[in-house]
Amino acid sequence: MSFFAILFALLIEQARPLARSNPIHTGLRAWAVSVNRNFDAGQSHHGWVAWGLAVLVPPLVVLAVHLALLHWLGWPFALVWNVAVLYVTLGFRQFSHHFTGIRDALEEGDAADARARLAQWKQVEVSELPRSEIVRHVIEYSVIAAHRHVFGVLAWFSILAALGLGPTGAVLYRLAEFVSRYWGARAREATQPPSESLQQAAAQAWTVIDWLPARLTALSFAVVGSFEEAIEGWRFHAQRFPNDNDGVVLAATAGAINVRLGGEALRSRAGAQVQPGFEVDADIGDSDSTPGREPEVGHLRSVVGLVWRSVVVWMLLLALLTFARLLG
C-alpha cells in the first residue's frame, strides 16, 4: 500500500498542486496558536506538554481514521486516505515554483528579478548578493525544502507504515517541522509569543525527529551523485556539527554535484540547530564552506537531476520491498 500511496500522491500533486492558501494549512496555524495560548505557561514541562499536544494529537486522529477505514471498509478506502494525507504533506510543487522562477530569471540574465523572487520566497534581504551567491542560496534553500517536503516525509511515512500505522509518520514529521519553524517565527511578535521553553522543546524534538531522515537524504544524494565526495563532505561536517541535520544534507549535496556551499549560511544553520547540552566547536572560519566549484546557473539543473534521481531510487526500493512482501 505504501508504494502505491506515494506514487498516486506524487502524480496528483504534480497535476494539481495544493494551493498555498488552503484550509488545512490555515487550520494547522490556528491549532498551533491555540495550543500555545492555552497550554504554554512558560515552564519546561509546560513546553513539552504543549509540543506533545500540537504534534502528537493530529497523527493519532489520522491513525484512528486509517484503522477505522481498514477495519470497516477495507484496504482500498484506507489507500485513498493514505493518498489524501500524503497529498497534503508530500510534494515538490509546494516550493518548486519559486526555484523554477529564480532559475529562469538567472538563465535569462535578469539577476534583479532573481533577487526579487528570492527575497519574496524566503523573506530575506538579497539586494547586495552577487550572481554566484544568489545561485548558492537558491541551491541551499531548494535542497532543504526538497528534504523537508519530500524525502523526510517519505522516510517517516515508510517506517511507520511498515509498522501498520498508516500515514501517521508523514503527519508527525511535517507537524514537528512546522511548529518548530512557526513558533520560532512568532517569538518576535508582541502579542502572546511562545515561551522560550516551548521554542526549545520544539527545536530539540525537531532535531531528534529529523536526525534519521536527514542522513537518509544525504545517503540518497551520495548514491545518485559523486559518492566519495558526498560521503567525505558529510563526514567532515558531521564531525564539526554533530547535531546539524540541515548541514549534513547540504554537505552531501555539495559533494554530490561538486559545488561550493556553506560559509556564512552553513554557520547560521549550524548555530540554529545547536541545543543546550550539546557541544559544538566554536572556532568556525570562512574555510568551513565546502570544497567544490563556484556556484553557477548550471548547478541548478544538476540539483534538479540529483533530487529526481533520488526520488527514483526511493520509489524503486519501495517497489522492490512491496513486491517481496507480495511474494512472501
Side-chain angles (χ1 to χ4, degrees):
M1 184 185 297
S2 299
F3 169 76
F4 293 106
I6 294 170
L7 178 63
F8 292 148
L10 285 173
L11 291 175
I12 295 171
E13 200 261 348
Q14 287 294 308
R16 191 175 182 83
L18 189 67
R20 184 178 180 85
S21 298
N22 60 81
I24 296 175
H25 289 172
T26 301
L28 287 177
R29 285 191 290 269
W31 170 247
V33 170
S34 176
V35 171
N36 170 209
R37 180 184 301 119
N38 294 305
F39 297 95
D40 180 18
Q43 300 298 318
S44 177
H45 64 281
H46 293 144
W48 283 107
V49 168
W51 180 88
L53 288 171
V55 176
L56 299 181
V57 169
L60 290 176
V61 174
V62 168
L63 175 61
V65 173
H66 171 76
L67 294 178
L69 290 173
L70 198 60
H71 179 73
W72 295 106
L73 298 177
W75 69 265
F77 290 89
L79 175 62
V80 171
W81 175 243
N82 277 250
V83 172
V85 173
L86 284 172
Y87 173 71
V88 175
T89 57
L90 173 72
F92 290 100
R93 299 293 293 276
Q94 297 183 35
F95 68 91
S96 63
H97 57 286
H98 296 292
F99 174 89
T100 302
I102 297 170
R103 184 193 64 190
D104 292 345
L106 288 172
E107 289 180 343
E108 294 170 3
D110 192 348
D113 184 37
R115 290 189 187 95
R117 290 175 179 272
L118 179 60
Q120 181 183 23
W121 178 19
K122 302 306 295 185
Q123 302 299 307
V124 293
E125 176 56 48
V126 296
S127 60
E128 303 299 324
L129 282 182
R131 183 184 177 90
S132 64
E133 286 298 287
I134 296 174
V135 175
R136 180 177 65 80
H137 278 73
V138 173
I139 291 174
E140 293 180 354
Y141 290 139
S142 300
V143 167
I144 295 302
H147 165 63
R148 295 181 179 180
H149 286 84
V150 181
F151 299 110
V153 178
L154 284 176
W156 270 101
F157 171 77
S158 301
I159 292 170
L160 295 192
L163 299 176
L165 300 180
T168 308
V171 180
L172 173 68
Y173 180 83
R174 291 295 293 136
L175 272 176
E177 187 274 334
F178 170 73
V179 299
S180 176
R181 172 169 46 86
Y182 185 68
W183 284 336
R186 289 195 71 244
R188 297 185 290 270
E189 297 182 2
T191 56
Q192 292 186 315
S195 68
E196 184 175 347
S197 297
L198 180 57
Q199 294 176 60
Q200 288 183 353
Q204 290 174 2
W206 168 240
T207 298
V208 173
I209 289 173
D210 194 39
W211 189 92
L212 179 59
R215 282 143 186 85
L216 291 176
T217 299
L219 181 60
S220 301
F221 289 171
V223 169
V224 301
S226 181
F227 185 83
E228 291 185 3
E229 287 76 6
I231 295 298
E232 179 62 23
W234 170 3
R235 183 189 63 80
F236 176 77
H237 187 78
Q239 287 177 346
R240 299 296 300 276
F241 307 105
N243 306 292
D244 178 21
N245 297 327
D246 287 354
V248 166
V249 175
L250 292 178
T253 302
I257 61 174
N258 188 27
V259 63
R260 183 174 61 81
L261 301 177
E264 198 63 41
L266 196 56
R267 289 204 297 276
S268 66
R269 283 191 176 88
Q273 295 293 331
V274 175
Q275 306 301 332
F278 294 130
E279 296 181 359
V280 175
D281 187 353
D283 182 18
I284 307 171
D286 289 336
S287 61
D288 283 322
S289 59
T290 65
R293 294 167 52 196
E294 189 75 9
E296 301 172 354
V297 176
H299 282 119
L300 298 179
R301 295 194 178 277
S302 298
V303 168
V304 173
L306 185 76
V307 170
W308 276 110
R309 289 195 303 272
S310 298
V311 171
V312 170
V313 169
W314 276 80
M315 296 304 294
L316 286 175
L317 179 60
L318 286 173
L320 290 174
L321 292 174
T322 301
F323 185 65
R325 185 173 181 179
L326 291 174
L327 290 179

